Amino acid sequence: MKKTDSGLKDKVIGKVKEVEGKITGDKAREVQGKAQQAKGKIKEKAKELKDDLEDH
């Protein structure tokens, strides 16, 4: 993925880890996935904020 993915990669990988953790009963993996998804959402919001600031 290119640099403009804005956290999409983290959100997708995080979701995979979360589901994997749920299936295997591995709570640590599930939490790790949720954390990575949150990281992706933060990146996405930061990119939106940066874009908004550049537009003004």
Side-chain angles (χ1 to χ4, degrees):
M1 293 191 169
K2 52 188 166 180
K3 194 159 180 85
T4 59
D5 70 79
S6 304
L8 178 62
K9 180 178 166 184
D10 284 314
K11 291 191 317 189
V12 170
I13 292 172
K15 188 64 176 178
V16 170
K17 287 179 181 179
E18 179 187 359
V19 170
E20 177 187 12
K22 284 181 181 180
I23 291 171
T24 62
D26 185 349
K27 290 290 182 188
R29 187 70 169 175
E30 186 176 342
V31 170
Q32 184 183 37
K34 288 180 181 183
Q36 191 162 1
Q37 287 179 72
K39 177 182 169 185
K41 289 177 185 177
I42 290 169
K43 281 183 177 180
E44 181 178 53
K45 293 297 179 187
K47 172 106 173 67
E48 288 175 9
L49 178 60
K50 180 183 172 200
D51 290 346
D52 285 347
L53 291 173
E54 288 176 351
D55 287 345
H56 291 85

